[in-house]
Amino acid sequence: QKTEFTEQIKPSNVAEYVNDNVEKTEGVYTFTKDTTIKSSRYNGAIYGNENPVTVNAVGKTLNIEAKQTGSGFLTGIYHYGTGFNGSAAAGAMNIQAGTLNLNVQGKGRTFGIYNMGNGLLHIKGQTNINISGGTDDGDEVTGIETISTGTTVLEGLTIRQEKSTEDHRAIRNKGLKSKLYVNMDEVGTLGTNKVDIQGNVLTDGFEAMTNLALTTADSKIHGTLRVNDGALNLWLMNGASWYNEHYGKHTGLYASKLTRLTGGSDAAHAGNVYMREDKDLTVKNYAGHTNFFFEHAASNPTALKGGDVKIEKAAAGSHATMITEHTGVTPSNVTDVLKALAKKLWYMDSTDSHNLSGTVKVLEGLTASSAQIANGLGYIDFDENHRGFYRATAPVYHDQTKEN
């Protein structure tokens, strides 16, 4: 079997693959060697329609080299399904590889993976997307783009892209009831694959749903996560990190907003959020344990950088830890720093619920494993406006009565 192809993979017989015994059954492609597919097509090196297409490269590396020298539309994988009507099950696209590398270099509108129809696109294995494009500010460049009613499922995922305008994103889900799952399956079982995303994530479609699961210590995402319409859910646990700031040339464009944030099962398995964006982070539903880190200038450690964390609803037993590091913190101002940290947390349901508790910490560094400085620990209670305030001891609640 040869190791380089130029024809498009699609549900029908393709001579280049048939002649090389890759496509022995119509629409089913089996690669027995590490392979590269080169393409400059708007509808992908791999194309799906109303008929199923299967790509098997189990234990192998499948490279898609998509390059556009002109200004035309470019995609790496393009799944049309049956368009916007018909049976979603009719045109399933299933890809399995040890590693799937998509190197997509466009000049204009460019997408790495484009699920534009109503079908299923399921990729098993590690997917790595390296994407560039967009010579004009208005050119859309997205690692994964979904626009209709289809379902997209991936296991491990890496997305790399250049910092550019707000039209460049890691993921955009703007479909009608479209669903996107990363490192989790359709029934909600979390995976243990590495997820490493550079770029912003947007969900903006009627009943669209995006689920991102970062479950390993080497998983991270660098960008804003924002839902305008639909749902955007993040699982962040076991030391995984989210660097919450706009990934692009211009900062401060958008505030992150999540439908659901689920942290670790306990403090030892918490996820980490680095609050680098000046705008507030809003979480509609929260559960688990999460560390929120804030930087500050050494000359004024009570002036914490980054927006506030505003939690609307919380599951029972939820906890948030607000953290800064020790530079500029002295025995005379450490309490004021703890007070400033407590004010960074809001719990909008605090009048009726005590499901969320909080602590404040000053550590030797901005990592969860850093040592705590002397007297660098406090607790969070909430005032009548639902904003956090510092307590030296943990608040105790009895029948809606707060006691220190």
Side-chain angles (χ1 to χ4, degrees), residues 135-212:
T135 54
D136 298 322
D137 281 352
D139 287 334
E140 296 174 329
V141 178
T142 310
I144 301 172
E145 179 92 359
T146 63
I147 69 166
S148 186
T149 58
T151 297
T152 306
V153 184
L154 299 99
E155 293 183 348
L157 176 65
T158 296
I159 299 178
R160 292 285 180 269
Q161 63 172 317
E162 57 194 4
K163 286 188 176 183
S164 190
T165 70
E166 61 267 32
D167 296 303
H168 290 222
R169 302 176 184 88
I171 296 171
R172 179 168 64 173
N173 181 357
K174 63 174 187 176
L176 172 67
K177 299 184 179 180
S178 58
K179 295 177 174 61
L180 173 63
Y181 302 87
V182 175
N183 191 32
M184 66 183 300
D185 62 23
E186 295 169 83
V187 299
T189 303
L190 302 182
T192 57
N193 304 287
K194 179 181 178 180
V195 176
D196 187 350
I197 297 173
Q198 286 182 347
N200 307 307
V201 176
L202 173 65
T203 299
D204 190 12
F206 177 73
E207 294 187 9
M209 181 174 67
T210 304
N211 290 328
L212 306 175

Side-chain angles (χ1 to χ4, degrees), residues 351-371:
T351 301
D352 300 317
S353 167
H354 298 140
N355 286 346
L356 178 67
S357 61
T359 52
V360 287
K361 292 183 178 181
V362 180
L363 304 182
E364 294 287 348
L366 281 179
T367 62
S369 61
S370 298

Side-chain angles (χ1 to χ4, degrees), residues 354 394-404:
H354 298 140
V396 179
Y397 306 114
H398 296 294
D399 298 326
Q400 304 301 316
T401 300
K402 299 180 181 181
E403 297 180 2
N404 186 25

